[in-house]
Amino acid sequence: MAKCQKRIDARKSRYQKKFMSDTLISEDSARPVNYWHKLDDGRIQCDLCPRYCKLREGQRGLCFIRGRLHEQMVLTSYGRSSGFCIDPIEKKPLNHFYPGTPVLSFGTAGCNLACKFCQNWDMSKSRAIDTLADAASPEQLVGAAEKYHCKSIAFTYNDPVIFHEYAIDVAKACRGKGIKTVAVTAGYVCEEPRKEFYQYMDAANVDLKAFTEGFYHKLTGGHLEPVLETLKYIKHETNTWLEVTTLLIPGQNDTDEELHNLTQWMLAQLGPDVPIHFSAFHPDWKMQGIPPTPASSLTRAREIALGNGIHYAYTGNVHDKKGQSTYCHKCGTVLIGRDGYVLSDWNLSDDGHCKKCDTLCAGKFGAGRVDGIPGKWGSKRQPVHLSDTFGSA
């Protein structure tokens, strides 16, 4: 057993060395952060995520934007982004969080996982500071959301876990202005920073990439259990609205057995009202030899989820009005019709009940004349350059 653990530790050490960047950290861009401690051998260990990168002076972690400078951990991307865009909230994807409304979306560079199938690899795998081409303070982000009438701000494109402090400061600035905050995340985070982070998030979509440890270890460089712990924590210990996404990759995580296991776990641990989205893979990054996900696989996954008692299951990245609409789990009425990101039918009362049988639809739909009606943003995608709006941050 001890020899086996030594081999695992040795592989983990080689993996970390392979991905750790020696790119110099500029003092001008460095912001001291928490969640780290010193080791006896002179290195310091990052305790933000279960990767536990161990760094010497000047080294960056696998995520690229956190590193060691002057005997402490720093964040090098605070206030800087790989770009800003206004999206429909359904694109995050969130189908039960103020449907039809616009969300101001942004991310940074880097990621704390190493997914071989990454669909946003140009940002999440970036090792270039030039990727962080746009800048904004938390106050400027809130100002932009107000100017463009966005209901919420989303931390997305890459994982907000790694720009923890920036995301929290933006969320704090939002609270006084009535703007919601959304985390689009893989959920790969340690216990203490997780507690701090979700105090400030109004909604989260967690990417549950598969339901086997083998998949996580081989294709993401991470582990399954911390993600499951994050899902349970969000659902049972916070007020954060939760939805789940699983990207189905042919031959990797799409068997009936795995889909049954995944959705049965969700039902038992999260309850029937947490929506799940099954999204289509397209060949990308280091998995370009695998074919795109057939639409039939997404439909099959959705049917398995519904058959196992999940109330809300969706298909994504394909045109499928039936699979993307929301139905009353009691009477079957179409509550929210969707054609892509455009809403059609709307059969919810102001407080989120089915107009036919009065069954509550789980979610955040607002209440009253203004919030209790669907948004009309539709499928528009509007890039925003905050430096043009506010000048340099």
Side-chain angles (χ1 to χ4, degrees):
M1 185 69 179
K3 289 182 179 179
C4 180
Q5 186 60 48
K6 285 183 179 180
R7 287 196 297 271
I8 292 173
D9 291 342
R11 285 199 299 270
K12 184 176 180 181
S13 178
R14 289 195 299 271
Y15 184 81
Q16 288 181 344
K17 287 178 181 178
K18 178 180 178 182
F19 285 97
M20 282 179 188
S21 172
D22 291 324
T23 304
L24 293 176
I25 298 175
S26 167
E27 293 195 31
D28 293 338
S29 66
R31 185 184 184 94
V33 296
N34 297 320
Y35 305 115
W36 59 272
H37 71 277
K38 291 184 178 181
L39 300 173
D40 293 340
D41 63 4
R43 295 179 297 173
I44 64 174
Q45 175 176 301
C46 180
D47 298 319
L48 183 71
C49 88
R51 189 163 298 286
Y52 301 120
C53 291
K54 299 172 177 61
L55 308 175
R56 299 196 183 278
E57 184 63 26
Q59 281 190 314
R60 296 173 182 265
L62 179 138
C63 69
F64 177 68
I65 65 171
R66 301 178 86 87
R68 175 177 175 172
L69 182 66
H70 302 326
E71 302 298 319
Q72 63 182 344
M73 287 294 298
V74 297
L75 172 64
T76 63
S77 66
Y78 189 98
R80 301 197 64 82
S81 171
S82 53
F84 304 91
C85 189
I86 302 174
D87 293 316
I89 191 67
E90 286 81 4
K91 194 173 183 179
K92 296 306 97 187
L94 288 170
N95 281 359
H96 292 240
F97 188 76
Y98 302 104
T101 61
V103 53
L104 178 62
S105 303
F106 78 96
T108 62
C111 187
N112 61 334
L113 288 177
C115 299
K116 293 181 180 180
F117 50 88
C118 184
Q119 314 278 282
N120 288 321
W121 64 268
D122 52 336
M123 287 177 279
S124 67
K125 307 305 179 188
S126 175
R127 295 295 184 267
I129 293 296
D130 290 344
T131 301
L132 302 174
D134 213 342
S137 67
E139 292 72 24
Q140 286 175 320
L141 275 167
V142 172
E146 290 182 310
K147 177 178 179 178
Y148 295 107
H149 308 291
C150 294
K151 180 73 175 179
S152 53
I153 293 177
F155 314 115
T156 181
Y157 306 139
N158 69 325
D159 204 305
V161 163
I162 63 174
F163 57 95
H164 176 97
E165 295 77 12
Y166 185 27
I168 287 176
D169 284 353
V170 173
K172 289 178 178 178
C174 285
R175 287 203 162 178
K177 301 292 185 177
I179 297 169
K180 308 299 182 181
T181 47
V182 173
V184 181
T185 175
Y188 204 61
V189 63
C190 292
E191 181 179 358
E192 288 305 314
R194 179 171 61 211
K195 287 180 180 179
E196 182 185 16
F197 188 76
Y198 286 103
Q199 290 180 49
Y200 301 100
M201 297 300 118
D202 295 295
N205 186 293
V206 176
D207 189 3
L208 178 55
K209 298 178 183 294
F211 204 66
T212 64
E213 173 62 17
F215 180 102
Y216 266 87
H217 178 70
K218 179 182 177 182
L219 297 181
T220 77
H223 299 285
L224 172 61
E225 190 59 32
V227 182
L228 301 183
E229 290 301 317
T230 294
L231 287 167
K232 290 187 289 185
Y233 178 79
I234 295 172
K235 175 59 181 176
H236 299 296
E237 303 294 334
T238 77
N239 293 319
T240 304
W241 173 251
L242 173 64
E243 301 191 25
V244 174
T245 294
T246 297
L247 182 76
L248 292 186
I249 306 176
Q252 301 295 326
N253 64 349
D254 63 342
T255 65
D256 285 4
E257 179 183 9
E258 182 165 345
L259 293 169
H260 275 292
N261 290 340
L262 187 157
T263 53
Q264 287 169 355
W265 180 90
M266 281 188 59
L267 183 69
Q269 299 296 328
L270 308 180
D273 288 335
V274 173
I276 183 167
H277 304 255
F278 295 104
S279 296
F281 163 87
H282 60 79
D284 219 330
W285 191 228
K286 296 183 178 180
M287 295 183 69
Q288 300 194 27
I290 293 180
T293 309
S296 58
S297 293
L298 303 179
T299 300
R300 173 172 52 87
R302 177 175 177 270
E303 290 173 349
I304 288 173
L306 293 172
N308 282 331
I310 302 296
H311 287 164
Y312 313 104
Y314 300 98
T315 59
N317 294 354
V318 293
H319 185 262
D320 179 12
K321 186 173 182 179
K322 179 180 178 181
Q324 292 164 357
S325 296
T326 299
Y327 300 85
C328 176
H329 62 86
K330 183 176 181 180
C331 72
T333 295
V334 177
L335 299 178
I336 307 172
R338 295 185 183 86
D339 190 357
Y341 300 123
V342 178
L343 303 190
S344 52
D345 307 76
W346 185 267
N347 293 305
L348 285 172
S349 64
D350 286 355
D351 57 355
H353 286 76
C354 173
K355 287 185 177 180
K356 182 175 182 180
C357 71
D358 202 38
T359 297
L360 179 67
C361 179
K364 302 290 185 180
F365 304 106
R369 185 177 59 84
V370 177
D371 283 335
I373 59 176
K376 297 181 180 180
W377 182 255
S379 60
K380 297 188 292 293
R381 186 175 189 272
Q382 180 181 333
V384 175
H385 296 286
L386 268 64
S387 57
D388 295 342
T389 304
F390 298 105
S392 299

Short mmCIF file of all heavy atoms in Angstrom, two decimals, residues 29 68 73 77 165 291 299 307 310 312:
data_model
loop_
_atom_site.label_atom_id
_atom_site.label_comp_id
_atom_site.label_asym_id
_atom_site.label_seq_id
_atom_site.Cartn_x
_atom_site.Cartn_y
_atom_site.Cartn_z
N SER A 29 1.26 43.25 -11.29
CA SER A 29 0.00 42.54 -11.47
C SER A 29 -0.33 41.61 -10.31
O SER A 29 -1.36 40.95 -10.33
CB SER A 29 0.06 41.70 -12.76
OG SER A 29 1.04 40.68 -12.64
N ARG A 68 3.69 32.16 -6.63
CA ARG A 68 4.44 32.56 -5.43
C ARG A 68 5.34 33.74 -5.74
O ARG A 68 6.11 33.73 -6.70
CB ARG A 68 5.28 31.39 -4.94
CG ARG A 68 6.20 31.74 -3.76
CD ARG A 68 6.94 30.53 -3.29
NE ARG A 68 7.91 30.87 -2.24
CZ ARG A 68 8.59 29.98 -1.54
NH1 ARG A 68 8.42 28.69 -1.77
NH2 ARG A 68 9.45 30.37 -0.61
N MET A 73 1.53 33.70 -1.61
CA MET A 73 0.74 33.43 -2.81
C MET A 73 0.12 34.73 -3.31
O MET A 73 -0.35 35.56 -2.51
CB MET A 73 -0.37 32.43 -2.52
CG MET A 73 0.10 31.00 -2.32
SD MET A 73 0.79 30.27 -3.83
CE MET A 73 -0.64 30.33 -4.91
N SER A 77 -4.24 38.07 -11.99
CA SER A 77 -5.24 38.48 -12.98
C SER A 77 -6.33 39.37 -12.39
O SER A 77 -7.36 39.58 -13.05
CB SER A 77 -5.89 37.24 -13.60
OG SER A 77 -6.63 36.53 -12.63
N GLU A 165 -10.78 35.81 -5.43
CA GLU A 165 -10.87 37.12 -4.77
C GLU A 165 -11.54 38.16 -5.67
O GLU A 165 -12.36 38.98 -5.20
CB GLU A 165 -9.48 37.60 -4.36
CG GLU A 165 -8.82 36.73 -3.30
CD GLU A 165 -8.24 35.42 -3.84
OE1 GLU A 165 -8.14 35.27 -5.08
OE2 GLU A 165 -7.90 34.54 -3.02
N PRO A 291 -15.71 11.72 -32.49
CA PRO A 291 -16.79 12.38 -33.23
C PRO A 291 -17.70 13.19 -32.32
O PRO A 291 -17.73 12.98 -31.10
CB PRO A 291 -17.56 11.20 -33.84
CG PRO A 291 -17.30 10.06 -32.91
CD PRO A 291 -15.88 10.25 -32.44
N THR A 299 -30.81 12.93 -26.08
CA THR A 299 -32.20 12.57 -25.81
C THR A 299 -32.28 11.36 -24.89
O THR A 299 -33.09 11.33 -23.96
CB THR A 299 -32.93 12.28 -27.13
OG1 THR A 299 -32.90 13.45 -27.96
CG2 THR A 299 -34.38 11.88 -26.87
N GLY A 307 -36.65 9.47 -16.17
CA GLY A 307 -37.12 8.17 -15.71
C GLY A 307 -36.67 7.85 -14.30
O GLY A 307 -37.35 7.11 -13.57
N ILE A 310 -35.68 12.73 -11.84
CA ILE A 310 -35.26 14.13 -11.94
C ILE A 310 -36.37 14.93 -12.61
O ILE A 310 -36.86 14.54 -13.68
CB ILE A 310 -33.94 14.25 -12.74
CG1 ILE A 310 -32.83 13.41 -12.09
CG2 ILE A 310 -33.53 15.71 -12.87
CD1 ILE A 310 -32.43 13.87 -10.72
N TYR A 312 -36.31 18.05 -13.92
CA TYR A 312 -35.96 18.95 -15.01
C TYR A 312 -34.65 18.49 -15.66
O TYR A 312 -33.58 18.55 -15.04
CB TYR A 312 -35.80 20.38 -14.50
CG TYR A 312 -36.94 20.82 -13.61
CD1 TYR A 312 -36.77 20.90 -12.22
CD2 TYR A 312 -38.20 21.12 -14.14
CE1 TYR A 312 -37.83 21.28 -11.39
CE2 TYR A 312 -39.25 21.50 -13.31
CZ TYR A 312 -39.06 21.58 -11.94
OH TYR A 312 -40.11 21.94 -11.12
#
